[in-house]
Amino acid sequence: MTAPAQPAEELAPVRASWQPTPAHTRATVAGFAMVVFGVLVRRPELLVLGTPLFLVSLWSFVTRPDRDPVVAAGPRHLTLREGQGTRWVAQVQPGPGVEDVGLALMGTPHTDFEPAARAVSAASDGVGPVTAAVACRSNRWGRRQLGPAVLSVSGAFGGYRWAPDVVDSRPVTTVPLPDTFSARVPVPRPDGLVGQNRSHHAGDGGEFADIRQFRFGDRLRRVHWPVSIRTGQLHVTSTYADQDSEVVLLVDAMHDIGTSEGAGGRSSSLDNAVRAAGAIAEHYLRTGDRVGLRVLGARGVPALDSAAGKNHLRRVLDTLARTTASKGTVADEKRLRGQLRHRVGTGALVVVLTPAISSEVLGHALALSRRGIPVIVIDTLPSELASPDLDAHLLDTVMPEADKHPQASLLAWRMRLLEREHEMRRAREAGVPIVPWSGPGTLDIVLRDLGRRSRAPRVVSR
Amino acid sequence: MSRSHLVLRALLVLSSLGLVGLVYAAGGGTLLLAVPLVLLTAWVVTRPESVLVTLLLVGHAIHWVTSAPVPQGWVGWTWLLLGSWLVLLLHLSASAAVTWPSVAPVPRAALRRWGRRAGVVALATVPVWAVAAVTRDQSLQGEASMTYVALAGLTLLGGALYLVARQSPLTRR
């Protein structure tokens, strides 16, 4: 799948200068030396052997380019979706000396190239621009630079070469391809302006609330005539207001557990979290709700305040694409503590996407729940890793030193899973629902429970 | 490595080994030089961008001049013409091998262009070879002083070409 093409003018210009090549120097030095010595020592063999080299050198020199070529290079698209492809293109305008073009790209993680060797050659026909292109397909969300590339333009007999050191390009953002997600149950306590969720307040809406006596300001079309005739007093039908809600997504990037094979392959915990967050954001933004995003533990990823609309979906996906897993340093933990001090609006639904390895994040979910904020935790740990009996290959993906100490690593992973179970049980007992990510309907049951619970009297700590 | 680059490297090896064989066919050849040249060929074929290609070319020339007798008759001169073409082939195959990425196939249009030009150079060598053969067989008497004057002129011409190349606005940077 290739994204639609954009004009080549967006490619960045590349600058360098023509230089004689070692091959030209070789032909000049060896040819000249053979001819001269052949004449000097009166050996016609040297003269004849050196003549072709001398002629090649002369040819290259006479046809040497007198101005730099116009070259533009870079990826055709700077934003892709997972699984989408683009082309890394070098376009050389025809000019003196422009005959042969070679392009080679360095490897990029989570990217497939066509040709697989990541190198192409092209020849000028002397009329149109020469285009050398390598097709690239991004398999995983993220922000990566394709390349850098090595580019060379050569003249006659490879005598002169125009070659910049390396051609860097702007990083390409691959936004996550959101999983399929839908939720039929509305958010528990919508508290916005106009939306599609039934609020607890009476107002203009589609859902029946009750039949009550007419008050000043009620619309005549709301009059319920059967009851009005039976009772002798005007009665109207009242409805619940339809309001939008706020969904705050908290993505736990403190750990990335498991192997990431890109779109269609195995997913790590951070893959699951990012794709699930994208899916949830897409669903709620399309239904007119407001979505906010915070990536916990990641450096350089801005927090997104809640907003609505298609442009905001683009912002959410771009922000998710910039997510990188924390390195677990002290600075990262300090940053996490700062990120956990955020504001949550009244009536907002908080969705925490975490592999539940970091106790701080689960503790934060618990604290929010105690404040009376509806919180749902989505467990993003890949299901195959949630087993205490991992085989050596899987153990290697969760414990870095597993190949050196397999028994100790397995034991450590079991202990970590026990702690995780304990913390999750504690959270559940405190009223925080934890569900594994399973695509459509993941949140339906817990949202229904949260809706019931929100209508019941409760004690909250503020 | 692409198939076309394998062919280029095969041409490099064949031309180098062919030069060694031609020296023997021309009645010369010494193991003292032939063996290092074969070993150098094996090295150069893996590193065609290396400066050792120059050494290989010069080595072949030295091998020929030091071991083979001055050509006598048309057979000897024919070996020499073939030798000059093999020198051209060796140089061009090494140059072509570094002009494009080795893992990418060489465009056919480029191969045709290089082949056409190589043919022109090979043909342009023939008059020089013919003049050399004719003048040698006729044993023309020459003026030693005039030879040195010609050499000096050639040196001056080479120096002038070098200076022009250095002062060219594109090669100055």
Side-chain angles (χ1 to χ4, degrees):
Chain A
M1 183 165 41
T2 303
Q6 287 175 355
E9 288 74 44
E10 291 186 9
L11 302 174
V14 185
R15 304 201 188 287
S17 60
W18 289 100
Q19 299 290 343
T21 61
H24 181 60
T25 310
R26 178 173 69 231
T28 308
V29 170
F32 195 74
M34 285 185 203
V35 170
V36 167
F37 278 105
V39 175
L40 189 65
V41 299
R42 294 188 168 218
R43 291 299 297 258
E45 307 99 299
L46 273 179
L47 177 71
V48 174
L49 289 175
T51 297
L53 295 180
F54 192 73
L55 289 176
V56 167
S57 164
L58 204 62
W59 188 317
S60 300
F61 181 75
V62 168
T63 60
R64 72 190 188 282
D66 58 359
R67 62 172 183 269
D68 289 336
V70 179
V71 180
R76 283 273 188 194
H77 308 91
L78 295 176
T79 304
L80 303 172
R81 280 213 162 191
E82 277 182 301
Q84 268 190 331
T86 185
R87 295 197 310 157
W88 207 105
V89 176
Q91 200 169 64
V92 186
Q93 297 300 326
V98 175
E99 294 195 351
D100 302 313
V101 177
L103 169 69
L105 282 178
M106 308 291 274
T108 308
H110 305 293
T111 308
D112 291 339
F113 293 93
E114 177 62 37
R118 306 186 301 275
V120 287
S121 304
S124 168
D125 57 1
V127 182
V130 190
T131 303
V134 176
C136 319
R137 180 174 173 271
S138 181
N139 287 327
R140 192 190 185 223
W141 55 271
R143 202 170 147 83
R144 290 181 291 275
Q145 186 190 33
L146 297 177
V150 178
L151 173 66
S152 77
V153 180
S154 304
F157 288 125
Y160 285 84
R161 183 180 300 151
W162 179 97
D165 289 339
V166 286
V167 184
D168 286 319
S169 59
R170 287 195 288 167
V172 172
T173 303
T174 306
V175 298
L177 190 65
D179 283 344
T180 314
F181 175 75
S182 63
R184 294 178 179 173
V185 180
V187 174
R189 284 186 294 152
D191 194 19
L193 295 172
V194 181
Q196 295 185 4
N197 301 301
R198 197 205 77 177
S199 76
H200 292 191
H201 315 295
D204 276 344
E207 192 157 335
F208 174 77
D210 65 350
I211 296 173
R212 57 168 173 76
Q213 280 198 344
F214 180 86
R215 287 184 218 142
F216 181 74
D218 282 338
R219 295 187 174 187
L220 285 179
R221 64 184 173 86
R222 293 274 186 193
V223 172
H224 195 273
W225 292 109
V227 175
S228 301
I229 291 167
R230 194 165 60 242
T231 59
Q233 288 183 318
L234 274 179
H235 278 71
V236 292
T237 308
S238 71
T239 54
Y240 290 111
D242 286 338
Q243 294 181 332
D244 66 323
S245 59
E246 180 184 357
V247 179
V248 177
L249 300 170
L250 301 181
V251 174
D252 179 3
M254 284 301 285
H255 298 93
D256 187 12
I257 299 164
T259 308
S260 179
E261 293 178 346
R266 282 193 296 178
S267 305
S268 68
S269 64
L270 197 56
D271 283 344
N272 288 343
V274 165
R275 289 178 189 137
I280 295 170
E282 189 164 5
H283 170 76
Y284 284 111
L285 285 172
R286 286 196 195 288
T287 55
D289 294 325
R290 286 166 291 130
V291 174
L293 172 68
R294 275 178 167 72
V295 182
L296 306 175
R299 190 172 58 180
V301 182
L304 282 184
D305 288 334
S306 297
K310 283 183 184 173
N311 285 341
H312 191 63
L313 174 61
R314 173 69 185 270
R315 275 194 291 274
V316 169
L317 293 177
D318 276 352
T319 306
L320 286 170
R322 295 165 67 128
T323 302
T324 49
S326 154
K327 293 188 172 70
T329 60
V330 175
D332 289 334
E333 287 173 6
K334 277 178 75 177
R335 188 182 314 112
L336 173 67
R337 284 197 288 276
Q339 287 168 333
L340 292 179
R341 286 193 293 271
H342 60 93
R343 192 189 65 79
V344 178
T346 314
L349 169 70
V350 178
V351 180
V352 184
L353 300 113
T354 174
I357 295 294
S358 167
S359 55
E360 287 95 336
V361 176
L362 265 186
H364 179 64
L366 219 65
L368 288 175
S369 175
R370 283 187 185 134
R371 283 164 52 191
I373 297 166
V375 179
I376 299 172
V377 175
I378 295 180
D379 180 9
T380 57
L381 187 71
S383 54
E384 71 269 16
L385 297 179
S387 157
D389 296 315
L390 294 184
D391 60 29
H393 175 65
L394 286 176
L395 189 63
D396 209 28
T397 65
V398 293
M399 305 293 284
E401 301 281 321
D403 53 339
K404 290 181 187 167
H405 315 286
Q407 291 302 321
S409 299
L410 189 59
L411 186 63
W413 180 244
R414 282 177 180 168
M415 289 170 67
R416 193 69 204 93
L417 283 182
L418 283 174
E419 282 176 21
R420 177 176 178 272
E421 280 303 316
H422 170 70
E423 284 158 12
M424 286 169 69
R425 194 180 318 117
R426 205 160 61 93
R428 281 197 189 99
E429 285 169 2
V432 177
I434 301 177
V435 288
W437 175 251
S438 57
T442 298
L443 301 184
D444 279 353
I445 295 174
V446 285
L447 283 176
R448 200 170 290 130
D449 288 347
L450 283 175
R452 284 197 203 107
R453 203 188 304 165
S454 69
R455 287 190 288 275
R458 65 191 182 282
V459 177
V460 297
S461 57
R462 295 190 190 274
Chain B
M1 191 178 293
S2 69
R3 192 189 299 172
S4 44
H5 273 270
L6 287 174
V7 170
L8 284 176
R9 281 164 167 77
L11 285 177
L12 196 156
V13 171
L14 287 177
S15 56
S16 183
L17 295 182
L19 273 169
V20 173
L22 272 183
V23 175
Y24 278 95
T30 164
L31 281 179
L32 195 67
L33 280 173
V35 172
L37 283 174
V38 170
L39 294 177
L40 196 57
T41 303
W43 169 261
V44 159
V45 77
T46 59
R47 304 275 171 84
E49 74 281 2
S50 157
V51 72
L52 292 182
V53 183
T54 310
L55 191 64
L56 182 66
L57 279 171
V58 173
H60 277 303
I62 291 172
H63 185 214
W64 194 299
V65 172
T66 55
S67 63
V70 175
Q72 299 291 332
W74 285 107
V75 176
W77 283 101
T78 307
W79 291 134
L80 184 59
L81 181 62
L82 283 177
S84 74
W85 287 350
L86 287 180
V87 165
L88 175 67
L89 186 61
L90 197 160
H91 167 71
L92 290 187
S93 54
S95 301
V98 297
T99 296
W100 298 281
S102 60
V103 288
V106 178
R108 284 179 186 278
L111 279 180
R112 277 197 297 272
R113 178 168 17 89
W114 277 62
R116 208 167 43 238
R117 289 175 179 175
V120 170
V121 172
L123 284 177
T125 309
V126 174
V128 177
W129 164 80
V131 168
V134 168
T135 53
R136 184 76 193 181
D137 281 353
Q138 293 194 351
S139 303
L140 294 175
Q141 296 298 317
E143 281 276 339
S145 56
M146 287 308 288
T147 304
Y148 293 126
V149 168
L151 276 176
L154 205 57
T155 310
L156 282 175
L157 179 66
L161 281 174
Y162 174 72
L163 288 176
V164 168
R166 272 189 65 190
Q167 288 170 3
S168 163
L170 286 162
T171 53
R172 201 185 305 150
R173 276 172 275 174

